[in-house]
Amino acid sequence: MLTDIEIAEKADMKDIRVIAEKIGCSEDDLELYGKHMAKFSDDFMKKVEDNPSGKLILVTAINPTPAGEGKTTVTIGLGDALRKLGKNSIVALREPSLGPCFGIKGGAAGGGYAQVVPMEKLNLHFTGDFHAITSANNLLCACLDNHLMQGNLLRIDPKRIVIKRCLDMNDRALRNITIGQGKRLDGVVREDHFIITVASEVMAILCLASDLDDLKARLGKIIVAYNYDNKPIFASDLNCVGAMTVLLKDAIRPNIIQTLENNPAIVHGGPFANIAHGCNSVRATKTALKVADYVVTEAGFGADLGAEKFLDIKCRMAGLRPDMAVLVATVRALKYNGGVAKDELNNENIDALSKGICNLGKHIENLQKYGLPVVVTLNKFVSDTDAEIDYIRQYCAERGVELTVSEVWAKGGEGGIPLAKAVLETLETKKSEYHPLYSAELPIKEKIKTIATEIYGAADVSYSAEADRAIKKIEEMGYTDTPVCMAKTQYSLSDDPKKLGRPEGFTVEIREVYMSAGAGFVVAIAGSIMTMPGLPKKPAAEVIDIDENGNTVGLF
């Protein structure tokens, strides 16, 4: 059996100019990055902005096993399947982060015969967007520390600096560091911190900005520190926002590549959903809606994370109205939620399935709270048995939701045709009544409690003293009418990764709260979630290599 990268390397890729023609995009509308990758020109995005909008289909998932459950694979396969049925469809995805590529989860180009290519370039450096975001973020940090060194006219309190440096790599040793050591000219000694690039506010801003002017305005609103009078200091106060924008002027334009079946795919932006807002860029989604009749997009991790943020943050801010949701489940993840050990997930176990399937039920309920029609699809693994699939089908039927079996990993678009037909029928027969879960005008704690109780199923919310103080300060500064971006584990509906299935009666513990003023939301960190992940005991980096012919091996 071929690995994902072996399948990708054998792909018959077409020139990206040929792929772009399928959505009415000429060579003059592209900035080429080799033969198989390109960025849209600003002129093209303006040219299509008055086109009618297509249907927006959100692909999300139940709580996954540590290896993930193939949400991106299903997204790509569904897009290919719709094309096979003669529909003008396109997929809109996030860009992968290097962190999980070299960690435990792998890349984010799909899998099997439902991938976007060139897989290797996408998973590694791609068109340089993440490098630009990292550079812009760290330029801001460098200017701040230089300001401290050069006399600190803004009277910044070094102990109240909130902007953090970033790096697109899992590196726990950088979570808490000391900088400025050495001679006087080496800077002011202070404690500093790194987060992974996908958790940075600059990433969120890039993904939510409507254009270059909006990007620049949002960057200027980033709160970098507080002064000795407890007043916020903004990025604009450091006079480097123009330079940051220059670094991001190309990165803000969406990228186009192709699927294994030579269909167009827009891939842009990549905030994680467990520690950020988890959606591709607004510009990418809006461009996709103007060039296709059906846009298939994804939101990161489970529906309690990515979908909640897609629906409560991105759609609210961008004025998007999704038409339906596809909820991806696997037999493996349902048994995992039923208490089965990772090394026993390939064995038939109806008892564990019956215990874990409540996780699926909760996610169905949650999506329906937003007024969205829902179709459940089972991403099929070889080890799945007919008895297990029949059990899940009956469970869904009892809740008035159709279950389809997706075999896109093994069969590409052909394996997604049952799902595509179910999606088309749902769009024809059921109307979306999308609405956010909560009003942005509610007090911050009320918004947090609404998400915790309605989406996670919590009984209550508790706050650390630090989080309490932060909320009071945010409200004093006038940032009350903003959505909340909850950062928590992806492995559980709760904030405890060990609470599987559908936990009840628990209290969500909010340990940190801060304002992402440029992005336009409050971030609330629950439990022990880390904004700079670490590598596992045996990271994927140990098996990734290059052979004597210059081919990459071990990337997945």
Side-chain angles (χ1 to χ4, degrees):
M1 184 179 294
L2 297 176
T3 64
D4 288 350
I5 193 167
E6 288 171 338
I7 292 170
E9 287 173 344
K10 293 178 181 294
D12 179 21
M13 286 188 285
K14 306 299 184 187
D15 191 299
I16 195 62
R17 292 170 292 186
V18 175
I19 302 300
E21 287 175 358
K22 295 185 178 185
I23 56 172
C25 184
S26 70
E27 182 175 352
D28 290 339
D29 295 322
L30 300 172
E31 181 178 333
L32 301 175
Y33 284 70
K35 290 178 61 177
H36 303 121
M37 307 186 302
K39 281 185 172 292
F40 292 120
S41 70
D42 290 324
D43 287 342
F44 175 73
M45 287 183 281
K46 289 177 182 176
K47 186 166 64 177
V48 302
E49 64 184 7
D50 292 329
N51 290 356
S53 293
K55 300 287 188 180
L56 182 56
I57 303 157
L58 171 66
V59 179
T60 184
I62 65 171
N63 292 101
T65 66
E69 302 314 309
K71 180 168 59 335
T72 306
T73 302
V74 170
T75 302
I76 296 164
L78 173 56
D80 281 340
L82 288 167
R83 283 265 173 181
K84 280 188 174 293
L85 293 176
K87 305 300 181 182
N88 177 20
S89 67
I90 195 167
V91 296
L93 307 171
R94 295 171 300 154
E95 298 177 45
S97 165
L98 288 177
C101 281
F102 295 104
I104 188 172
K105 195 171 183 291
Y113 290 91
Q115 295 189 55
V116 285
V117 285
M119 178 263 221
E120 179 184 341
K121 290 184 178 179
L122 171 63
N123 275 319
L124 299 178
H125 303 292
F126 199 28
T127 58
D129 293 344
F130 282 23
H131 299 298
I133 291 165
T134 302
S135 298
N137 182 95
N138 292 345
L139 171 63
L140 177 58
C141 295
C143 287
L144 184 148
D145 280 298
N146 183 60
H147 183 87
L148 293 179
M149 175 66 193
Q150 302 293 349
N152 194 10
L153 294 180
L154 294 171
R155 301 179 64 250
I156 293 170
D157 183 350
K159 292 188 178 296
R160 299 212 59 203
I161 292 171
V162 294
I163 187 71
K164 297 176 182 178
R165 287 172 162 83
C166 70
L167 182 71
D168 190 31
M169 190 63 63
N170 293 0
D171 192 348
R172 61 169 56 84
L174 293 177
R175 288 173 185 163
N176 304 291
I177 61 173
T178 302
I179 63 172
Q181 297 185 82
K183 299 179 181 178
R184 189 185 69 83
L185 294 179
D186 294 329
V188 175
V189 177
R190 68 176 183 89
E191 182 180 334
D192 201 3
H193 314 272
F194 270 82
I195 57 176
I196 193 165
T197 297
V198 292
S200 71
E201 186 174 357
V202 176
M203 171 67 82
I205 286 171
L206 182 103
C207 290
L208 293 170
S210 57
D211 54 33
L212 200 61
D213 289 340
D214 186 33
L215 173 73
K216 187 174 182 179
R218 286 173 176 269
L219 291 173
K221 295 175 183 176
I222 295 174
I223 298 174
V224 297
Y226 293 85
N227 65 16
Y228 288 112
D229 299 317
N230 200 24
K231 302 294 183 184
I233 302 297
F234 298 93
S236 57
D237 295 322
L238 295 170
N239 300 319
C240 62
V241 172
M244 293 172 69
T245 309
V246 168
L247 286 171
L248 297 169
K249 68 182 180 66
D250 293 323
I252 194 176
R253 291 189 281 119
N255 310 291
I256 178 171
I257 53 175
Q258 63 191 287
T259 71
L260 288 176
E261 299 183 11
N262 307 124
N263 294 319
I266 298 177
V267 185
H268 191 226
F272 278 1
N274 58 343
I275 50 181
H277 77 275
C279 315
N280 69 350
S281 76
V282 167
R283 296 191 94 199
T285 303
K286 286 192 170 182
T287 300
L289 285 167
K290 296 300 182 180
V291 300
D293 297 325
Y294 299 92
V295 175
V296 187
T297 192
E298 64 164 353
F301 292 121
D304 55 318
L305 287 168
E308 186 273 314
K309 295 168 186 177
F310 178 87
L311 297 166
D312 280 324
I313 297 177
K314 178 177 176 177
C315 290
R316 186 200 305 264
M317 288 187 179
L320 297 170
R321 295 192 61 82
D323 293 280
M324 66 169 294
V326 173
L327 181 60
V328 179
T330 65
V331 173
R332 292 163 49 86
L334 291 172
K335 289 189 291 192
Y336 181 76
N337 273 281
V340 173
K342 286 182 287 184
D343 57 357
E344 296 178 5
L345 292 176
N346 290 336
N347 303 326
E348 182 179 285
N349 193 328
I350 300 296
D351 181 58
L353 191 59
S354 68
K355 294 176 181 176
I357 203 166
C358 56
N359 187 266
L360 172 61
K362 176 59 174 165
H363 286 296
I364 292 172
E365 292 172 21
N366 285 349
L367 291 168
Q368 291 173 336
K369 288 179 180 180
Y370 291 92
L372 293 182
V374 180
V375 168
V376 175
T377 192
L378 197 67
N379 186 25
K380 194 173 189 300
F381 283 67
V382 176
S383 59
D384 298 349
T385 68
D386 290 342
E388 290 172 326
I389 294 172
D390 288 342
Y391 185 91
I392 300 168
R393 180 174 283 109
Q394 179 63 31
Y395 182 89
C396 290
E398 291 170 357
R399 284 149 184 81
V401 175
E402 183 176 355
L403 174 76
T404 66
V405 176
S406 173
E407 298 184 83
V408 297
W409 186 90
K411 301 178 181 178
E414 189 69 30
I417 286 179
L419 171 59
K421 288 181 176 178
V423 164
L424 292 171
E425 182 182 358
T426 300
L427 290 171
E428 290 172 3
T429 60
K430 297 181 180 178
K431 182 175 175 58
S432 170
E433 297 179 358
Y434 159 74
H435 54 82
L437 182 70
Y438 56 84
S439 168
E441 296 176 357
L442 288 173
I444 292 172
K445 285 191 174 182
E446 284 299 309
K447 287 179 279 200
I448 291 173
K449 187 172 183 178
T450 300
I451 296 169
T453 56
E454 293 289 325
I455 301 301
Y456 307 160
D460 204 357
V461 180
S462 66
Y463 297 86
S464 68
E466 179 186 356
D468 252 333
R469 289 192 297 270
I471 290 172
K472 289 176 183 176
K473 179 63 179 176
I474 291 168
E475 290 178 334
E476 285 174 8
M477 292 189 297
Y479 296 112
T480 52
D481 299 342
T482 60
V484 171
C485 181
M486 295 281 277
K488 76 168 187 72
T489 179
Q490 65 268 34
Y491 298 123
S492 171
L493 282 161
S494 75
D495 57 346
D496 181 350
K498 296 179 181 179
K499 286 184 167 67
L500 302 179
R502 184 175 181 167
E504 296 178 343
F506 61 93
T507 297
V508 171
E509 299 178 2
I510 304 298
R511 64 177 176 83
E512 182 181 353
V513 176
Y514 60 88
M515 185 66 212
S516 287
F521 52 66
V522 174
V523 179
I525 299 179
S528 58
I529 191 73
M530 295 291 181
T531 52
M532 169 52 88
L535 291 171
K537 187 171 184 179
K538 187 174 177 60
E542 293 184 9
V543 297
I544 295 173
D545 203 350
I546 193 162
D547 66 19
E548 63 275 9
N549 298 314
N551 298 314
T552 299
V553 294
L555 190 63
F556 66 100

